[in-house]
Amino acid sequence: MASLITCPHCGPRPKEEFSIRSDASLVRPAPDADAETWHAYVYLRDNPRGRHLEYWHHAAGCRRWLVVERDTQTHAVQSVTDAADVTRARGAA
């Protein structure tokens, strides 16, 4: 993995300051979704190859949640965005 991640708040920081948390491409089902839909959302995950969106936490820095677009083969980071901005852009603010 790249040794530096560019935090939108703190600038380039060592990757050890961050924690990878979860898949940022998942969309939460509606509260009234059936049990099968909730089961798939909670338990079933793909193992993507190539570019993928992930939630990362800048635990040793600004403590913000970030959405990192990373290539799972090469570990190259394509982009880093504040998770709040991504949520607003999706219309779920």
Side-chain angles (χ1 to χ4, degrees):
M1 187 176 297
S3 60
L4 294 176
I5 305 291
T6 302
C7 175
H9 305 285
C10 305
R13 306 299 299 167
K15 70 175 174 22
E16 291 79 15
E17 290 188 5
F18 299 86
S19 303
I20 300 174
R21 292 299 177 189
S22 65
D23 184 345
S25 64
L26 294 175
V27 177
R28 185 181 175 95
D32 59 349
D34 63 18
E36 185 176 322
T37 302
W38 276 104
H39 174 80
Y41 172 74
V42 173
Y43 296 109
L44 304 179
R45 295 288 185 265
D46 291 330
N47 189 10
R49 183 177 183 180
R51 286 186 173 199
H52 185 62
L53 296 175
E54 302 166 324
Y55 283 115
W56 287 40
H57 185 238
H58 194 178
C62 61
R63 303 192 55 78
R64 299 286 300 190
W65 285 95
L66 308 170
V67 174
V68 175
E69 183 179 12
R70 181 177 70 91
D71 189 305
T72 60
Q73 275 185 282
T74 65
H75 302 289
V77 173
Q78 277 74 38
S79 67
V80 181
T81 309
D82 189 291
D85 294 339
V86 172
T87 300
R88 276 191 285 279
R90 289 179 179 170

